[in-house]
Amino acid sequence: MTSIDLNADLGEGFGRWRLTDDERLLSVVTSANVACGFHAGDAATMRRVCELAAERGVTIGAQVSYRDLAGFGRRAMDVPPAELAAEVAYQIGALEVFARAAGARVAYVKPHGALYNRVVHDEEQARAVVDGVLLADGSLPVLGLPGSRLLELAGRAGLPAVTEAFADRAYTDEGTLVPRGLDGAVLTDAEAVVERSVDLARSGAVTAHSGARVAVRARSLCLHGDTPGAVELARRVRERLVAAGVTVEAFA
């Protein structure tokens, strides 16, 4: 039987501002990518999301990013490797405090936004992320795009490399994500997202923006928590996966 993890980006608020419906999404997903304060999130938010995740048995992951609150971590930045490694470790460590206080732990690491896309091809930045993870905890799995430099270097360093796919993002023929600034980069039709989720889980492939079929073998499926109707869409995806005979369970 096929199995897949459902992850979502959570804790993406700051102070009085909240973006994601953390409590309701945590009733659907199996893994939570928790913002660690660099692109979103703050101490109180991180603590609250860790407590909610622990109560519901949802696996906690550190969503690390460039230091870019104003740009939500989606702006390209050039950060020296040693500085980036230290900042990745810092973010993981901060979240670990709240995870442990809630009776859980940080179980994996996933880059966010511009950093996520950068480490698909940029070996220097990918190596810095891996170095940061090793500095924090040499056993943590790293979640990323299949075929990325990040996962290649993580595997070489002895870190579990976990592949991820996106139900609501358009793909290129090379298996990378279409940049958000281009038309059609984000899928907005709910039924199309649900159908793609089942297709990804069962066939290990996706129909690219060009119409070509591209192999995307993923252990985890990302559902963006900052899109309109995210909670209901996540519910539909999970229900359809289960109906299709797919076991929905955390990878870590």
Side-chain angles (χ1 to χ4, degrees):
M1 180 178 288
T2 303
S3 66
I4 199 162
D5 169 61
L6 291 182
N7 77 74
D9 303 343
L10 300 176
E12 291 185 323
F14 192 82
R16 296 178 63 186
W17 174 71
R18 291 191 183 182
L19 179 63
T20 49
D21 189 341
D22 299 325
E23 187 163 3
R24 294 175 65 205
L25 279 167
L26 283 167
S27 69
V28 182
V29 300
T30 47
S31 295
N33 316 316
V34 184
C36 299
F38 273 39
H39 75 281
D42 56 25
T45 302
M46 292 161 68
R47 181 179 184 181
R48 176 177 56 82
V49 175
C50 284
E51 289 173 347
L52 290 171
E55 287 173 3
R56 290 160 174 75
V58 176
T59 299
I60 297 170
Q63 187 167 41
V64 299
S65 72
Y66 288 126
R67 189 188 293 270
D68 180 28
L69 274 176
F72 197 61
R74 287 181 176 162
R75 298 185 294 190
M77 303 183 77
D78 290 316
V79 181
E83 182 178 336
L84 179 58
E87 291 191 336
V88 166
Y90 178 92
Q91 292 175 77
I92 297 168
L95 187 65
E96 179 70 6
V97 168
F98 299 118
R100 286 193 177 275
R105 64 185 179 90
V106 172
Y108 66 94
V109 178
K110 173 184 173 178
H112 165 81
L115 182 58
Y116 187 98
N117 292 320
R118 182 80 169 265
V119 297
V120 171
H121 300 296
D122 190 317
E123 180 162 352
E124 184 179 67
Q125 295 282 281
R127 190 178 301 280
V129 172
V130 170
D131 286 345
V133 176
L134 290 170
L135 182 60
D137 184 337
S139 66
L140 286 176
V142 176
L143 186 60
L145 206 67
S148 64
R149 298 297 288 155
L150 174 66
L151 292 192
E152 179 185 346
L153 292 172
R156 286 187 193 175
L159 298 171
V162 183
T163 53
E164 176 183 41
F166 292 81
D168 60 354
R169 291 295 306 278
Y171 279 80
T172 69
D173 289 358
E174 291 71 41
T176 57
L177 301 179
V178 173
R180 280 182 174 270
L182 300 180
D183 289 341
V186 179
L187 279 65
T188 57
D189 181 86
E191 184 58 27
V193 172
V194 173
E195 291 179 358
R196 168 171 282 195
S197 300
V198 176
D199 187 22
L200 279 163
R202 300 198 66 182
S203 72
V206 66
T207 301
H209 199 48
S210 67
R213 291 287 285 176
V214 179
V216 182
R217 299 194 179 279
R219 179 65 187 88
S220 186
L221 182 66
C222 181
L223 303 171
H224 282 104
D226 60 347
T227 55
V231 175
E232 183 54 34
L233 178 58
R235 290 192 200 283
R236 289 180 60 186
V237 167
R238 180 161 186 163
E239 289 171 358
R240 192 75 66 85
L241 285 168
V242 172
V246 178
T247 301
V248 179
E249 60 183 3
F251 65 84

